[in-house]
Amino acid sequence: MSNPAVFRPAVLEGVLERITYANEDNGYTVARVDTGRGGDLLTVVGSLLGAQVGESLRMEGRWGSHPQYGKQFTVENYTTVLPATIQGIRRYLGSGLIKGIGPKIAERIVDHFGTDTLDVIEQEPKRLIEVPGLGPKRTKMIGAAWEEQKAIKEVMVFLQGVGVSTSIAVRIYKKYEDASISVVKNQPYRLAADVWGIGFLTADRIAQAVGIPHDSPERVKAGLQYALSQSTDQGHCFLPEEQLIADAVKLLQVDTGLVIECLAELAADEEGVVRERVPAPDGGEPVTAVYLVPFHRAELSLAGQVRRLLAAGEDRMAGFQDVDWDKALAWLVERTGAKLAPEQQAAVKLALTSKVAVLTGGPGCGKSFTVRSVVELARAKKAKVVLAAPTGRAAKRLAELTGAEASTVHRLLELKPGGDAAYDRDRPLDADLVVVDEASMLDLLLANKLVKAVAPGAHLLMVGDVDQLPSVGAGEVLRDLLAEGGPVPNVRLTRIFRQAQQSGVVTNAHRINSGLQPITTGLPDFFLFVAEETEDAGRLTVDVAARRVPARFGLDPRRDVQVLAPMHRGPAGAGTLNGLLQQAITPARPDLAEKRFGGRVFRVGDKVTQIRNNYDKGRNGVFNGTVGVVTALSTDDQRLTVLTDEDEEIAYDFDELDELAHAYAVTIHRSQGSEYPAVVVPVTMGAWMMLQRNLLYTAVTRAKRLVVLVGSRKAIGQAVRTVSAGRRCTALAHRLAV
């Protein structure tokens, strides 16, 4: 009797010509290879983690057929083979694999060294200086890039065995360098804390692959901290203990007793978690709150700093305590040409006489003019005024409004890598009055850093619309400062000025905020395009934003029109819409440089946004939400340049492109603090989970001139009716009132 045939994988050798699709999370790739036998390129699919265009690959796997794409090879594993022919070496070097070598330089190097090229780069990189046009600087750069590539490859091969994607493997290598393999093997849960883009779930998968037990206390503690950090991403500063334990049991699939034990150990660790009894978010019985340490420290500190400012004995603007207000307000009318309404007058007096004050109100109620009046009067008394806002766009708008310099809060405080600020309690800002606009965007951690830097005796004025979405980060600082019975005085502007009443955008913003359907007919600046199905709404949104609005209103689709989506996923989500809008606004052209990264393609002219804080970039860091346009892209230098909306040119190496996302469409949450001439908002039942009044209100109030809703009346109705039920878990209002 013969033995059953042993399955032997097929072997395919070829040069990786291009990657058509790559999933950054699991490494699944669709690529085209040249087998060197002439004819068409062949499609290969599977995990090609770390493989670069231009490399010669020896792939093991199996042949198959795809109904749409025909014959293809499924890769199970592969090894890189250095090319041996002159043509192969030229293509390999010219692929952009090694920083500093593009196609032209590759040709020169190979013309000079022939088949010895790779040996020379490997063993005697200094000899590259023999090549005409290659100076010592570029020679050194090529040698270093080759070494780094080799080291990353080694780490890649190891990480491939434990299922880590290419982009994450590169980040792990950048963080730990030669210690990468040791950290991954022995302390995999460190990755979740140390490496951006690795959450607990990825670290947990790696930990299982390297043999860490399912019920290891290290795993349970990491899971508890992950559950808490997930809740801060949802806006909570703490979680009630019972909820945290339940979440952790569900996440980790371990016994409740083990979770309770590990939580107690974390609470006993100074850098673990903090447990404290606080009032429940809904005003019910007190709960045991569990905080991550930085959030507990920030909440205590912020409440303490606000009370310290309010109680300060000195007053750096004491001249306003006994001012003749009739005279001051009359001078202001002469200066600005307009009279303040009574509630605006009250706000001006409050800001100039109270050490901490909050000014809130909706669009068209005169917040901006009130702020300008405060600044004019303060400067008339020779006070030093500092103006800031959380985003570059909001800071720019504040500067235009007041005629004074304004900066982002990050730049004002000169935040450093690690998040420490140059200005704090020991080195306060040299300012008599600090005005912060768009204060609804301030999360707990940033608000704490800011308030810490205000000098005793100086005045702090927070300005914002409390009915908008709360901050993307944890906390709802503006709402907590306005809490009833709290110590911070405030004014809410409610009267809509006559000129603002002419605006459909302002009228409908207030209707939505009052729970009324927006008027979508007969207005020159507010429209509804009906599309019942989510897919249809997605396609129509692209047509409206890229073609119809620019044609009818003479607007630039890239600079003036912004698509704001309730969510990222789905056919009318920001992710899908970005791809479609890029095709419509910045399509591929033979003369247009582009770089494929993961599932995205970056081109010169693309509108992009930074999606993480990076303190090492630019003059003072580049922060989550910064928007810009790609102005240059070099495959030789493997670098792309973005001109941000703060007029700063920022360079990104190709391996940093996971920090950038396209911004033709952004989620409404990400649009906070920005203002656009026109906004187009898909509102569909596909996003029903997200449809809430403050979400739609925030979207509409982002527009200066024009709003176009695309979707169904049913979805708009749901958004208008649904008041966000869950308050965030924060104890700031309680701490302020104590």
Side-chain angles (χ1 to χ4, degrees), residues 129-152:
I129 205 154
E130 297 170 19
V131 177
L134 274 194
K137 192 176 168 188
R138 195 174 281 259
T139 301
K140 197 174 171 187
M141 180 175 156
I142 291 168
W146 179 268
E147 285 304 313
E148 185 178 23
Q149 197 55 41
K150 262 182 20 193
I152 288 178

Side-chain angles (χ1 to χ4, degrees), residues 497-647:
F497 284 87
R498 192 177 300 121
Q499 64 270 33
Q501 289 171 6
Q502 317 300 310
S503 156
V505 176
V506 171
T507 302
N508 277 333
H510 286 279
R511 284 182 69 86
I512 290 164
N513 203 28
S514 308
L516 300 170
Q517 284 277 91
I519 298 161
T520 54
T521 53
L523 293 170
D525 60 353
F526 203 104
F527 301 90
L528 167 64
F529 283 82
V530 175
E532 296 299 333
E533 296 300 319
T534 305
E535 282 84 355
D536 297 341
R539 283 192 292 272
L540 185 52
T541 297
V542 172
D543 190 38
V544 166
R547 298 181 192 91
R548 296 193 198 191
V549 166
R552 179 160 168 194
F553 295 93
L555 296 172
D556 179 317
R558 192 184 284 110
R559 191 184 59 240
D560 302 328
V561 183
Q562 183 63 55
V563 172
L564 300 180
M567 57 200 285
H568 185 75
R569 294 204 171 112
T576 302
L577 293 177
N578 263 318
L580 297 171
L581 285 160
Q582 184 192 34
Q583 281 171 31
I585 296 169
T586 317
R589 296 199 319 259
D591 61 330
L592 192 63
E594 64 174 47
K595 165 67 182 168
R596 182 174 291 279
F597 185 89
R600 296 197 278 266
V601 179
F602 291 97
R603 299 187 183 116
V604 171
D606 268 341
K607 186 175 181 178
V608 292
T609 180
Q610 174 82 9
I611 55 173
R612 65 170 289 219
N613 288 345
N614 186 332
Y615 295 93
D616 299 323
K617 280 205 166 300
R619 288 190 300 272
N620 287 104
V622 183
F623 298 94
N624 189 350
T626 301
V627 175
V629 172
V630 178
T631 52
L633 196 157
S634 162
T635 44
D636 279 16
D637 296 330
Q638 294 190 41
R639 182 168 285 190
L640 166 160
T641 307
V642 173
L643 179 66
T644 72
D645 55 11
E646 293 174 48
D647 297 324

Side-chain angles (χ1 to χ4, degrees), residues 170-375:
V170 169
R171 274 186 236 146
I172 290 172
Y173 178 77
K174 277 189 160 177
K175 178 73 186 171
Y176 305 115
E177 294 182 335
D178 296 343
S180 298
I181 292 172
S182 158
V183 170
V184 170
K185 271 185 181 164
N186 303 314
Q187 301 166 282
Y189 291 106
R190 256 183 78 185
L191 301 174
D194 291 355
V195 182
W196 179 72
I198 297 189
F200 170 79
L201 299 179
T202 306
D204 199 33
R205 209 172 59 231
I206 295 168
Q208 283 180 317
V210 298
I212 286 181
H214 187 72
D215 58 357
S216 130
E218 186 194 353
R219 175 175 184 263
V220 177
K221 286 181 195 172
L224 279 160
Q225 287 180 306
Y226 169 71
L228 277 176
S229 77
Q230 281 290 93
S231 75
T232 65
D233 290 347
Q234 305 296 314
H236 300 299
C237 300
F238 68 81
L239 276 185
E241 186 175 41
E242 286 173 17
Q243 189 184 332
L244 173 61
I245 291 166
D247 288 355
V249 168
K250 193 171 161 191
L251 169 75
L252 299 163
Q253 300 289 301
V254 294
D255 289 345
T256 307
L258 178 59
V259 171
I260 291 169
E261 270 173 44
C262 290
L263 180 56
E265 284 178 35
L266 273 176
D269 177 355
E270 267 184 26
E271 294 304 314
V273 299
V274 177
R275 287 196 289 202
E276 187 188 343
R277 294 288 283 176
V278 301
D282 57 7
E285 286 297 302
V287 294
T288 299
V290 185
Y291 287 83
L292 288 171
V293 172
F295 292 90
H296 186 258
R297 282 187 189 143
E299 206 173 76
L300 279 176
S301 164
L302 177 56
Q305 302 295 339
V306 168
R307 288 208 309 273
R308 177 178 66 93
L309 288 177
L310 283 166
E314 60 199 285
D315 187 348
R316 292 177 64 154
M317 292 171 69
F320 283 102
Q321 295 303 336
D322 49 11
V323 85
D324 181 337
W325 284 107
D326 291 340
K327 205 168 160 188
L329 294 169
W331 174 85
L332 203 54
V333 173
E334 275 175 42
R335 178 92 179 156
T336 61
K339 193 176 176 203
L340 290 167
E343 55 185 17
Q344 291 178 304
Q345 291 181 11
V348 169
K349 289 177 188 174
L350 187 67
L352 296 170
T353 57
S354 177
K355 309 279 176 51
V356 184
V358 176
L359 170 63
T360 188
C365 292
K367 282 200 308 294
S368 299
F369 187 64
T370 307
V371 170
R372 183 185 159 194
S373 303
V374 168
V375 172

